Amino acid sequence: LKQFSTHIGNVIQKVSGNIKLPVPDVCIDAKDVKKAANDLDIVSKLKPVLDKWIHMIKDRLENELAKPKPVNPMGEIQFWKDSNAMLSALYEQITMPNI
């Protein structure tokens, strides 16, 4: 059921154009990053989430590249506005303090 729910969420994001990266349920203090990297329990919780991030970001970038190229200056401006909005949303999520 959880896998189905996740799949439906991904489809909704693709249709609506929004992308929301899942946040791992792991809390690591900035001072303990090296220690956490050697903790197999933490790594095993982070790896699936990071793999999902890679897949979601890759899909989104491929979708952007597959869009038709603009044919006029206003289309070019809109293309870059849309690309900037998508990349900014991803960047904001990746650089959140709880990540």
Side-chain angles (χ1 to χ4, degrees):
L1 185 60
K2 181 175 170 119
Q3 185 178 11
F4 176 73
S5 174
T6 301
H7 180 69
I8 294 298
N10 290 341
V11 169
I12 290 170
Q13 287 174 1
K14 286 180 182 177
V15 169
S16 68
N18 296 328
I19 184 167
K20 181 157 174 49
L21 298 174
V23 177
D25 189 25
V26 176
C27 193
I28 301 170
D29 188 5
K31 297 179 284 187
D32 297 328
V33 172
K34 287 184 181 179
K35 183 179 175 184
N38 293 319
D39 185 330
L40 293 179
D41 185 47
I42 292 174
V43 171
S44 68
K45 289 179 182 177
L46 290 177
K47 185 173 181 344
V49 175
L50 296 176
D51 288 342
K52 185 167 182 79
W53 284 13
I54 290 167
H55 179 73
M56 291 173 75
I57 292 169
K58 181 180 173 220
D59 283 352
R60 186 61 180 183
L61 291 173
E62 287 173 352
N63 288 342
E64 286 295 312
L65 292 174
K67 286 182 179 179
K69 302 299 179 224
V71 294
N72 59 41
M74 290 307 293
E76 184 79 18
I77 290 170
Q78 189 60 47
F79 170 81
W80 287 110
K81 278 184 174 180
D82 294 345
S83 295
N84 181 48
M86 184 269 301
L87 292 171
S88 293
L90 287 172
Y91 179 77
E92 286 176 17
Q93 291 180 61
I94 292 171
T95 58
M96 291 183 342
N98 61 332
I99 298 297

